[in-house]
Amino acid sequence: MSDRQPTTDRGRIRIVGFDEATEQKRDSDASSDAADADGAAADQSIASRAATGIESTTASTSALAQPGRRLENAWRRFRRNRSAMAGLAVLIVMTVLAVFARPITVATAEVTVTLQPFSLAPSDPAAMFVGPPNASPSPAHPFGTDWAGRDQFSRVLVGGRYTLSIGLVAVGLALCVGVPLGAIAGYFGGWIDEAIMRVVDVLYAFPFLVLAIAIVPILEPVPILGSGYWTVVVALAVTGWVGYARLIRGEVLSVREREYVTAARALGVPDRTIIRRHVVPNAIAPVVVQATLNIGTVVLTAAALGFLGLGLEPGSAEWGAMLAQGRSSLLRGDWHVTVFPGLAIFLFVLAINLVGDGINDALEPNRDVDDDRRRMR
Amino acid sequence: MSLGRYVGRRLAVTVPVLFGVTALTFSFVHLLPGDAVDAIVGFRAVSPATEAATRAEYHLDQPVWDQYLLWLRDAITLEFGESPVTGRDVSATIGRRLPATLALGGAAWLLALAIGIPAGIVAAVRAGEPADEVGRLAALAGIATPNFWLGLILLFVFSVRLGWFRVLPPDAPLVSLATAKFLVLPTITLGTASAALVMRLLRSSMRRELDATYVTAARAKGLPERTVILKHVLRNAVLPVVTVAGLQLAFLVDGAVVVEGIFSWPGMGRLLVQSVLQRDYPVIQAIVLVIGIAIVLANLLVDIVYAILDPRIRY
Amino acid sequence: MALLEVEDLVVQYYTDDGVVRAVDGLSYEIRAGETVGLVGESGAGKSAASRAVLRLLDGTGEIVGGEIRFRGRDIRELSADDLQAIRGNEIAMVFQDAGAALNPVYTVGEQIAETIRVHEDASDGEARNRTIALLDRVGIPNPAARYADYPHEFSGGMQQRAVIAMALSCDPAVLICDEPTTGLDVTVQAGILELLAELAAKSETAIQLVTHDLGVVAELCDRVLVQYAGEIVERAPVDELYYDPKHPYTVGLLAATPRLDDDRERLPTIPRPAPDLVDPPTGCRFHPRCPYAEDCCASRRPSLVDPVSGRPVDGDPETHVAACLEYTGDLEAGLDYEVQIRDDADSNCRERKQQGEPR
Ligand code: SF4
């Protein structure tokens, strides 16, 4: 195109004066610079922000702020998320209804202490023939009655207790097993990792519900588990921990290499302390999100067990178990027996999912819920 | 590394898992409270002669390790004995039920892909727009709907009220129009949650891929947007979805356990539930083993397919 | 009529912190066959400006004003089909990170052949043969065999060559190179620059070279545009820019460019980071960082003028123009720097002093 020689070949250019001028300006600005000091820091962050937007350089700012501050920020973000707040509201309402549905009493041999005297549910969920059997919804029985004449409305209200507590307790137990095992596997690696992860692989070969179904007959006769309630909870916890183990192991593997962990190790901090103080807190956010979402999965599985007539005693006012008679009553044309408990499960699981997504967006907006869900498998 | 060596290494990891799966399934009967013979015969009172025969048949007179190996040998030859409850041969029963479940599961899986993939693409491309929001809520609803509830409602509306479909499966061969028509409702029931899962996964992986420079580069080349999305983005975005095919299978199996009961579909899931309710342990054991091995092999297959789809894997 | 004319281009990004005006009233033109450098620090909006030319802004970026005329047609007004017909065919792009610009799951050859197939009525075989020839032309050894390789099997330099081949596949009239050598080893960089220099010299393709590296510009370009905070602050033929920079920002960039025989202890740098484009500085946008800034700089906005006459920019793109209040006579103390040029042969120094010793 042009026949000119590249400029750099012809001579060397040196600029004199700019730097000196800069120095001078710096001196004369010294006083105002002091006032600008934090302004400059702000500039810095703004520059990196602009850079991510425009030049698409990824500037990952690791937020190592105080946990309190971080939670506060997360809560602010969560509050702005309308669907998450709606989900939270549904959960709160359902919890309140379940807790105040019937009085809660603790009875020992001598005394009976009433913890909660309110009774929102009009009748005892187990009382039969409070109305005619299979009655359609009416002012007296807003959700109708089931085949044994039990008030569906009361049963749906009280049924929330099973669902909420099974979900929370089973996920809690699963976390107690999965998080330490996964953290240990990821932190130590080697044969410990191999062993734990092979167990995880083996358990993963069995679908959630199938494994729970197979476990129920094993657990049922164990005396301390006694009632079907604990059978269901333990069965769900046994099947549930593997996901958390896998997820946190992956997180720990990446956290393990960070400087503060290496530094702590070099200082001779015991492994247990490092895991507890440094590794787990930095790897826990996605686990919290997945655990929240998993409450939904666990509730669905528990309801499926109830529906199949496994675990809980037949006739329990559990939402899934209430549907167990649903097929025959539907074929008879009694839709209300099926609709209301199912709707309750649907609402609860939907709300949990909205809240879980919201927590994720609030804690780690750049992280993908579905991606983590995939990684659990 | 060549593909062959990759597959070899993957197989090497699979073998101990298969071992674990069989061991766990084997120990199932032994974990049950009481004597294994009681469990096998279903906790009925039996004559000493029957007890001795059962003991011999299940090798219960041998040390545990030998029991396992003998059981494994029987399992490999599909020799699961007879059901103490029905008296039928367990392998034959499962063999009869398996095709029905495969048909239902396959149909549901196809439905899930047929809905989930296009919906995921649309949601990702229209991210933030109303179409995406609707899709997100629909997917959440799909995940949150208990499949047994959905099944019951579909059954009620379309079979009981409208009478469009039969309530009970027709007495027709598996591959027939009548059966296909009957399978519509169970397929929808089983496929809905899977479709939601596929959609969400694909949406999220597509969103990630859409930000990649190669997408801008493909547009800069002047490729039509269709080609950019369907050729360049989708091919990368399905990779993470492929990795969960094993999860999908597990998901479908779980669903089948429930859905088959609702629609009286004579598959393995219904058999499993019946067997649990009847305490028919040899059948439970055999079904759990079949499912476990199927999922392990599916995961193996998924990894191989992934390696073929993603050229970077073969380092 | 110039081949590519950009007039008053405004590009905005919508971020959580507000609207970022990455490009704010940018005007320039590129004539057939010439090589124009667009220089500035990262964050100056260079990439946004060049991506806007093909309407390829990423994320929330949007062109909110101005015109981009290619052969007289406004690219902003084109239908999707017409735009596709121009992309890759008449105007092609070379990306900064070649590894990311190649789709990992398709072979390198396929990705180049695809471009040929979409723009030209070429059969698969023809496209393939032309691709192999292109790979050969950009200096990839054994092109027929490398055709079927996947991107991860190429080295970084080879990936960049493949991306250049892709851009050249339909003989574009304009090639936009966005930081084509950033992130590569120095030796690999030299190879790519050589390839681009050869292209600039031999082919009819005009090149818009976007870079933060004045050394790269010096080697390749005919004319240079210096961009700061979304605006052009100086425009000059390449020699004039180096030997006689007029804008303090250009001077700062030149002072900060390392040289082979550097005997300085530390490179002078422009103090403070690039400005916030959500809320850009008033007046001259460079004033918070400019060592010569005076009070008026914070309030009055300089426009591009001829430094000698002080007259506003005229139609000739070869004219040297700069946007500093010095050239409209508003500064009291003037600018104080000098450009020393040392010839390599005999190290006698020619010195030239910038006008305006403190008055
Ligand atoms: S106008 Fe003022 S601040 Fe801007 S470059 Fe010129 S001297 Fe510096």
Side-chain angles (χ1 to χ4, degrees):
Chain A
M1 164 61 210
S2 73
D3 55 358
R4 69 179 176 75
Q5 303 257 301
T7 314
T8 44
D9 286 356
R10 269 197 271 158
R12 303 250 180 240
I13 299 168
R14 170 185 285 188
I15 304 284
V16 178
F18 182 85
D19 209 23
E20 288 75 359
T22 306
E23 294 295 331
Q24 271 171 26
K25 179 172 156 94
R26 219 170 258 154
D27 293 343
S28 69
D29 280 3
S31 50
S32 61
D33 260 7
D36 261 15
D38 56 352
D43 270 0
Q44 193 85 48
S45 73
I46 286 159
S48 72
R49 185 183 65 204
T52 46
I54 299 153
E55 305 285 358
S56 68
T57 43
T58 40
S60 62
T61 43
S62 62
L64 273 176
Q66 283 108 346
R69 185 70 179 278
R70 203 171 139 198
L71 280 183
E72 212 172 281
N73 284 337
W75 169 237
R76 187 152 6 92
R77 274 196 295 269
F78 186 89
R79 236 177 8 201
R80 265 186 307 190
N81 184 337
R82 254 194 285 149
S83 59
M85 286 304 281
L88 187 63
V90 170
L91 288 187
I92 290 173
V93 169
M94 287 183 114
T95 309
V96 168
L97 289 180
V99 169
F100 294 103
R102 296 299 288 173
I104 300 175
T105 55
V106 175
T108 57
E110 300 95 50
V111 280
T112 304
V113 184
T114 305
L115 293 179
Q116 192 282 105
F118 297 95
S119 179
L120 293 176
S123 51
D124 182 344
M128 297 203 193
F129 302 108
V130 291
N134 289 319
S136 293
S138 63
H141 304 288
F143 290 178
T145 59
D146 67 2
W147 60 276
R150 292 176 291 210
D151 180 45
Q152 282 274 96
F153 181 66
S154 307
R155 287 172 69 75
V156 169
L157 285 188
V158 177
R161 289 185 179 174
Y162 282 107
T163 303
L164 288 165
S165 62
I166 289 178
L168 282 177
V169 177
V171 168
L173 279 179
L175 280 174
C176 289
V177 179
V179 169
L181 282 180
I184 288 169
Y187 185 81
F188 291 106
W191 69 267
I192 301 181
D193 185 27
E194 276 297 310
I196 295 177
M197 284 346 265
R198 284 301 87 76
V199 171
V200 167
D201 283 346
V202 169
L203 283 179
Y204 256 131
F206 302 104
F208 230 46
L209 182 60
V210 169
L211 197 56
I213 288 177
I215 291 174
V216 165
I218 299 177
L219 293 176
E220 230 163 23
V222 178
I224 11 159
L225 299 180
S227 76
Y229 177 84
W230 285 102
T231 308
V232 173
V233 167
V234 172
L236 291 173
V238 166
T239 53
W241 68 270
V242 278
Y244 307 117
R246 215 178 247 192
L247 189 62
I248 198 145
R249 171 180 173 269
E251 289 300 303
V252 169
L253 280 181
S254 67
V255 173
R256 187 173 65 166
E257 303 307 325
R258 304 235 177 102
E259 279 140 48
Y260 52 84
V261 176
T262 330
R265 219 184 286 171
L267 287 173
V269 180
D271 286 332
R272 195 143 43 103
T273 317
I274 296 180
I275 295 182
R276 253 207 335 259
R277 298 280 303 279
H278 298 288
V279 177
V280 171
N282 280 292
I284 203 74
V287 177
V288 169
V289 173
Q290 290 302 320
T292 313
L293 293 172
N294 257 2
I295 293 178
T297 316
V298 162
V299 161
L300 282 178
T301 312
L305 282 176
F307 174 73
L308 295 173
L310 300 169
L312 294 176
E313 291 146 48
S316 299
E318 194 269 336
W319 291 337
M322 289 164 71
L323 291 180
Q325 301 294 329
R327 189 169 186 274
S328 44
S329 46
L330 267 188
L331 294 184
R332 267 196 321 271
D334 296 324
W335 55 273
H336 59 271
V337 181
T338 302
V339 166
F340 294 109
L343 209 57
I345 302 174
F346 171 76
L347 264 183
F348 180 81
V349 178
L350 186 68
I352 276 281
N353 273 284
L354 290 174
V355 170
D357 281 1
I359 293 179
N360 181 69
D361 293 348
L363 281 181
E364 308 210 8
N366 297 321
R367 228 183 144 100
D368 198 307
V369 172
D370 298 295
D371 209 40
D372 285 332
R373 191 182 314 217
R374 186 169 65 78
R375 223 167 299 163
M376 285 176 77
R377 275 284 159 179
Chain B
M1 197 204 320
S2 72
L3 186 59
R5 274 193 52 201
Y6 171 80
V7 172
R9 207 181 53 179
R10 202 47 204 75
L11 265 172
V13 183
T14 304
V15 169
V17 174
L18 274 179
F19 177 79
V21 166
T22 52
L24 194 65
T25 317
F26 163 75
S27 56
F28 168 68
V29 171
H30 296 263
L31 286 174
L32 290 166
D35 192 82
V37 174
D38 290 336
I40 289 168
V41 299
F43 296 99
R44 287 170 302 149
V46 286
S47 68
T50 323
E51 193 194 317
T54 313
R55 225 172 253 291
E57 191 189 338
Y58 289 88
H59 319 292
L60 297 175
D61 39 7
Q62 317 259 348
V64 171
W65 180 247
D66 290 345
Q67 283 182 36
Y68 169 64
L69 289 180
L70 288 165
W71 175 83
L72 198 58
R73 191 195 63 198
D74 288 350
I76 289 170
T77 54
L78 299 178
E79 185 55 62
F80 293 106
E82 281 169 9
S83 156
V85 177
T86 60
R88 295 210 193 97
D89 183 62
V90 175
S91 310
T93 313
I94 291 181
R96 224 176 19 254
R97 298 289 196 120
L98 195 56
T101 292
L102 288 179
L104 175 58
W109 188 58
L110 288 181
L111 180 78
L113 295 184
I115 295 175
I117 290 179
I121 295 173
V122 170
V125 172
R126 305 227 170 281
E129 295 174 28
D132 178 33
E133 275 302 305
V134 170
R136 183 177 107 94
L137 286 178
L140 274 181
I143 288 170
T145 310
N147 48 13
F148 46 92
W149 188 51
L150 180 64
L152 288 176
I153 298 215
L154 290 179
L155 189 72
F156 177 69
V157 173
F158 293 103
S159 299
V160 176
R161 279 288 151 94
L162 297 175
W164 292 358
F165 299 99
R166 295 173 56 101
V167 173
L168 293 172
D171 192 12
L174 194 57
V175 187
S176 68
L177 209 61
T179 313
K181 188 184 171 202
F182 173 77
L183 273 179
V184 169
L185 292 184
T187 301
I188 294 174
T189 311
L190 189 52
T192 300
S194 286
L197 212 65
V198 170
M199 184 220 156
R200 283 191 59 129
L201 276 171
L202 187 62
R203 177 189 180 276
S204 80
S205 65
M206 287 237 349
R207 291 277 326 253
R208 229 183 359 259
E209 294 298 330
L210 277 168
D211 286 338
T213 309
Y214 73 80
V215 180
T216 315
R219 290 191 183 124
K221 287 196 281 189
L223 301 185
E225 192 62 18
R226 264 184 87 82
T227 315
V228 174
I229 301 293
L230 296 182
K231 180 176 176 186
H232 285 270
V233 182
L234 189 59
R235 173 70 190 273
N236 283 284
V238 290
L239 288 174
V241 182
V242 168
T243 60
V244 292
L247 165 69
Q248 288 278 331
L249 179 61
F251 207 67
L252 286 173
V253 170
D254 268 356
V257 167
V258 170
V259 173
E260 287 181 356
I262 295 170
F263 292 95
S264 312
W265 184 246
M268 295 240 296
R270 189 151 159 248
L271 181 64
L272 177 64
V273 176
Q274 281 167 348
S275 308
V276 171
L277 292 175
Q278 295 169 344
R279 302 289 185 257
D280 190 347
Y281 295 109
V283 176
I284 301 176
Q285 199 177 27
I287 293 178
V288 170
L289 184 68
V290 168
I291 291 173
I293 288 176
I295 289 179
V296 171
L297 294 182
N299 279 324
L300 176 66
L301 194 70
V302 160
D303 284 352
I304 295 171
V305 169
Y306 191 97
I308 293 169
L309 286 179
D310 188 346
R312 286 163 299 184
I313 281 282
R314 280 171 250 160
Y315 276 120
Chain C
M1 182 181 68
L3 191 59
L4 179 69
E5 296 165 297
V6 173
E7 208 180 306
D8 280 329
L9 180 68
V10 181
V11 174
Q12 291 184 343
Y13 280 87
Y14 301 91
T15 69
D16 290 343
D17 307 293
V19 178
V20 173
R21 281 211 161 195
V23 177
D24 196 356
L26 196 71
S27 302
Y28 65 90
E29 57 183 73
I30 295 178
R31 290 164 300 175
E34 71 173 341
T35 302
V36 176
L38 186 57
V39 189
E41 294 163 294
S42 64
K46 310 175 311 267
S47 289
S50 27
R51 286 187 170 209
V53 169
L54 279 178
R55 281 168 46 189
L56 282 172
L57 292 169
D58 51 345
T60 58
E62 191 192 349
I63 304 174
V64 291
E67 272 185 37
I68 303 162
R69 285 187 301 273
F70 175 71
R71 297 193 201 280
R73 295 161 78 198
D74 188 353
I75 288 194
R76 290 186 65 197
E77 306 289 319
L78 292 182
S79 70
D81 285 350
D82 290 346
L83 184 64
Q84 274 158 23
I86 286 183
R87 286 176 176 171
N89 192 18
E90 304 246 44
I91 305 178
M93 268 191 99
V94 172
F95 292 84
Q96 171 174 347
D97 182 355
L102 291 165
N103 191 333
V105 299
Y106 291 106
T107 62
V108 171
E110 161 60 20
Q111 294 184 59
I112 299 173
E114 165 184 59
T115 320
I116 300 174
R117 287 199 308 264
V118 77
H119 289 298
E120 282 160 43
D121 204 13
S123 73
D124 287 4
E126 279 163 30
R128 188 190 156 89
N129 290 337
R130 279 182 52 185
T131 301
I132 292 172
L134 276 163
L135 289 174
D136 191 35
R137 180 175 161 203
V138 297
I140 290 175
N142 202 0
R146 306 298 317 248
Y147 181 96
D149 277 356
Y150 287 93
H152 73 266
E153 293 166 298
F154 274 52
S155 68
M158 287 298 144
Q159 285 175 342
Q160 190 57 282
R161 284 171 192 270
V163 168
I164 292 172
M166 193 186 294
L168 293 177
S169 56
C170 296
D171 278 321
V174 180
L175 187 64
I176 298 176
C177 300
D178 186 359
E179 303 270 9
T181 58
T182 310
L184 298 174
D185 291 350
V186 181
T187 44
V188 179
Q189 255 185 27
I192 299 286
L193 284 179
E194 209 170 290
L195 174 64
L196 288 174
E198 201 182 302
L199 262 173
K202 287 198 195 133
S203 79
E204 284 305 301
T205 302
I207 301 179
Q208 174 178 329
L209 182 72
V210 179
T211 180
H212 66 279
D213 187 344
L214 277 171
V216 171
V217 169
E219 283 189 46
L220 294 176
C221 298
D222 302 312
R223 292 191 299 119
V224 188
L225 308 158
V226 180
Q227 190 171 354
Y228 183 79
E231 301 175 325
I232 286 183
V233 294
E234 182 162 5
R235 187 193 75 194
V238 71
D239 289 356
E240 280 187 45
L241 189 88
Y242 281 85
Y243 292 111
D244 189 14
K246 292 296 189 194
H247 194 280
Y249 177 61
T250 315
V251 174
L253 279 183
L254 279 170
T257 305
R259 301 169 314 158
L260 282 178
D261 64 339
D262 243 324
D263 50 2
R264 290 173 293 182
E265 301 218 319
R266 122 196 127 72
L267 280 179
T269 49
I270 306 174
R272 300 204 179 145
D276 175 14
L277 293 178
V278 173
D279 183 19
T282 55
C284 171
R285 292 197 175 166
F286 189 51
H287 85 259
R289 303 170 72 192
C290 180
Y292 311 109
E294 295 176 11
D295 289 345
C296 59
C297 298
S299 54
R300 201 165 327 154
R301 205 162 165 180
S303 55
L304 279 172
V305 294
D306 183 325
V308 181
S309 65
R311 269 199 299 271
V313 51
D314 60 15
D316 181 6
E318 294 282 347
T319 324
H320 189 166
V321 291
C324 174
L325 292 175
E326 166 71 11
Y327 307 113
T328 45
D330 292 307
L331 288 197
E332 283 173 15
L335 307 177
D336 180 26
Y337 57 86
E338 56 188 293
V339 180
Q340 297 179 344
I341 299 146
R342 241 180 35 216
D343 284 325
D344 276 351
D346 52 347
S347 51
N348 67 340
C349 292
R350 271 191 307 144
E351 293 190 7
R352 192 188 308 167
K353 255 198 166 150
Q354 185 62 18
Q355 76 269 51
E357 281 287 303
R359 276 171 222 164

